[in-house]
């Protein structure tokens, strides 16, 4: 499980299940929200103020802000803790941009643009032993399901990331099953529109070494009018780095900023990272770009090692993240190859999908080989041979029977590597015998060497 702390530049994406999506919230009781804006671009911050606090009898609670976008998907867009009496004055919300959610899934899409709604709910931990909230807990919990109902149909836990996006103020822990699963109050939804398209970042390389640098180029400038400050950050998606590597740049009066080189400290650990960028004016974040994945370390794909029956390549390097399509694989690792080749090997990050390395490898020539473990006469008095492909590539095997002075083909089958088939000839008369042979028919060479010759005879009866 990948876990990391979110700052201003990496908004979490999340499609909600569980308490926030179950419809079992406590009554709104006329509680309303006031927003500082009626629309915002993903990545731009706005404030949310309540008409009243959370129920005072429930003590300290967590307020989670959500945005239901035009497509009907719910996103956590902020979080704040109340005072001991349940009061809270203001929370900062941010419509999410693409990035890694709290469950470790890389999501390439930000919110769907268009009309949506902002809502908020007060949550009390189910582990809270304070008696005043017991009745409210029972009413709010209802029959919506288990406390752990945070997985979707394909087994991947839905994101419940987000935050009150002050730097390092929010982590996935702030919206865990244990800390925010009993609703004590929900606020009436407020119309809100996601506007504009999110800026994209392009990187000079998808995988780099610690101690080097990467050039970050924006697709568009900051949307805010006038000069803005852009903070570009390299964030460790494993959460192991205490602080991101950052680079600041000032835009022109029209908001444009040039391709910028971000140095990667030599002390950085290898694995999966994200490049993020946000625009701010007067200390207020006015917009963010979709996060772009990057990997630190090296991945090398070796040449094909071609044995008589198997082929493999070695994956080596310093990258320590998970590799797609494999389980519990760390470098170095052996990757088995099947078929005749050549093989194009692509290595991707399991976390972000970043292509780490690619190479086409091949053996000097395909290995065509068959074995004939059994020959004889079938129950229907036909000469037959059991033929197995013991090579690395698909190959055809031919059964021939001697007619006069010439062998004639009576059966032919193409066999995949590791498979076996029976080849059969025509039925023999009583007391008749037949001399037969098996040949390999390798691609591009026609009938090749004889691998087995045998004679069968039908008894007189």
């Amino acid at each position: 499980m990948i876990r990391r702390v979110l700052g201003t530049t990496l908004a979490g994406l999340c499609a909600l299940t569980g308490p926030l999506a179950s419809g079992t919230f406590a009554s709104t009781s006329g509680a309303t929200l006031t927003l500082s804006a009626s629309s915002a671009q993903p990545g731009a911050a706005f404030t949310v103020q309540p008409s009243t606090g959370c129920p005072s009898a429930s003590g300290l609670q967590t307020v989670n802000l959500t945005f239901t976008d035009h497509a009907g998907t719910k996103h956590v867009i902020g979080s704040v803790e109340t005072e001991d009496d349940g009061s809270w004055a203001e929370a900062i919300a941010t419509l999410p941009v693409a990035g890694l959610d709290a469950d470790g899934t890389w999501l390439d899409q930000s919110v769907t643009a268009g009309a949506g709604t902002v809502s908020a709910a007060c949550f009390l931990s189910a582990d809270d032993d304070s008696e005043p909230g017991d009745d409210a807990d029972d009413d709010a919990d209802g029959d919506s399901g288990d406390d752990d109902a945070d997985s979707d149909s394909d087994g991947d836990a839905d994101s419940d990331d987000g935050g009150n996006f002050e730097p390092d103020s929010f982590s996935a822990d702030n919206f865990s099953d244990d800390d925010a699963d009993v609703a004590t109050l929900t606020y009436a939804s407020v119309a809100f529109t996601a506007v504009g398209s999110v800026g994209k970042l392009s990187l000079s390389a998808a995988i780099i070494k610690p101690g080097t640098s990467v050039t970050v180029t924006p697709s568009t400038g900051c949307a805010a009018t006038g000069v803005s400050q852009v903070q570009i950050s390299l964030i460790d998606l494993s959460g192991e780095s205490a602080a991101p590597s950052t680079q600041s740049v000032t835009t022109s009066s029209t908001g444009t900023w040039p391709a910028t080189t971000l140095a990667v400290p030599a002390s950085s650990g290898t694995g999966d990272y994200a490049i993020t960028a946000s625009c701010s004016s007067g200390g207020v974040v006015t917009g963010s770009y979709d996060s772009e994945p990057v990997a630190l370390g090296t991945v090398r794909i070796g040449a094909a090692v071609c044995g008589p029956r198997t082929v493999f390549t070695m994956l080596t390097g310093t990258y320590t993240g998970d590799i797609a399509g494999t389980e519990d694989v760390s470098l170095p690792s052996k990757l088995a190859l099947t078929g005749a080749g050549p093989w194009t090997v692509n290595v991707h990050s399991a976390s972000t999908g970043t292509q780490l390395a690619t190479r086409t490898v091949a053996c000097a020539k395909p290995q065509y080989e068959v074995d004939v473990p059994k020959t004889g006469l079938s129950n229907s008095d036909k000469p037959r041979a059991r033929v197995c492909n013991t090579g690395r590539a698909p190959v055809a095997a031919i059964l021939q029977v001697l007619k006069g002075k010439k062998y004639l083909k009576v059966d032919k089958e193409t066999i995949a590597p590791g498979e076996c088939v029976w080849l059969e000839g025509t039925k023999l008369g009583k007391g008749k015998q037949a001399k037969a042979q098996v040949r390999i028919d390798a691609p591009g060479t026609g009938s090749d060497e004889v691998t087995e010759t045998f004679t069968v005879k039908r008894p007189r009866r």
Side-chain angles (χ1 to χ4, degrees), residues 261-456:
T261 298
L262 179 65
V264 179
S267 59
S268 300
T270 60
D272 292 301
Y273 286 71
I275 299 288
T276 68
S278 64
C279 304
S280 62
S281 179
V284 177
V285 175
T286 58
S288 296
Y289 293 79
D290 276 344
S291 303
E292 190 68 23
V294 66
L296 263 59
T298 58
V299 176
R300 299 183 181 88
I301 303 170
V305 179
C306 307
R309 292 179 176 82
T310 61
V311 183
F312 67 89
T313 180
M314 289 298 298
L315 305 180
T316 59
T318 61
Y319 171 77
T320 54
D322 295 327
I323 295 174
T326 58
E327 295 183 2
D328 301 325
V329 171
S330 58
L331 303 179
S333 179
K334 180 189 291 187
L335 177 65
L337 305 173
T338 59
W343 302 268
T344 298
V345 181
N346 291 295
V347 180
H348 293 84
S349 161
S351 297
T352 66
T354 301
Q355 181 170 285
L356 306 173
T358 183
R359 181 178 180 179
T360 298
V361 298
C363 295
K365 63 178 182 178
Q367 182 72 23
Y368 300 112
E369 185 176 298
V370 297
D371 181 46
V372 185
K374 189 174 183 179
T375 61
L377 198 64
S378 71
N379 292 335
S380 56
D381 299 316
K382 298 177 181 180
R384 66 175 185 172
R386 182 71 167 168
V387 183
C388 299
N389 185 346
T390 54
R392 298 192 306 265
V395 68
I398 300 173
L399 177 64
Q400 297 175 318
V401 175
L402 184 63
K403 298 291 185 180
K405 295 183 179 181
K406 187 177 181 180
Y407 280 98
L408 301 179
K409 181 177 73 174
V410 294
D411 199 2
K412 179 180 180 180
E413 293 285 348
T414 299
I415 317 169
E419 292 187 352
C420 297
V421 299
W422 281 101
L423 300 179
E424 287 191 338
T426 57
K427 186 175 182 178
L428 297 180
K430 293 181 180 181
K432 298 295 184 179
Q433 70 175 25
K435 187 174 183 181
Q437 65 181 23
V438 176
R439 283 183 176 271
I440 291 179
D441 186 14
T445 62
S447 295
D448 204 345
E449 74 272 9
V450 175
T451 61
E452 184 77 10
T453 300
F454 61 97
T455 300
V456 292

Side-chain angles (χ1 to χ4, degrees), residues 183-245:
T184 61
L185 175 69
T186 58
Y187 294 81
S189 298
V190 181
F192 194 82
T193 303
V195 296
S197 58
V198 182
K200 309 293 182 182
L201 303 173
S202 61
L203 308 181
S204 57
I207 181 168
I208 56 178
K209 300 177 182 178
T212 59
S213 61
V214 60
T215 300
V216 182
T217 305
S219 64
T220 185
C222 295
T225 303
V227 175
S228 296
Q229 294 297 316
V230 181
Q231 179 173 287
I232 307 167
S233 301
L234 174 72
I235 297 176
D236 185 355
L237 298 183
S238 70
E240 295 181 359
S241 296
S245 173

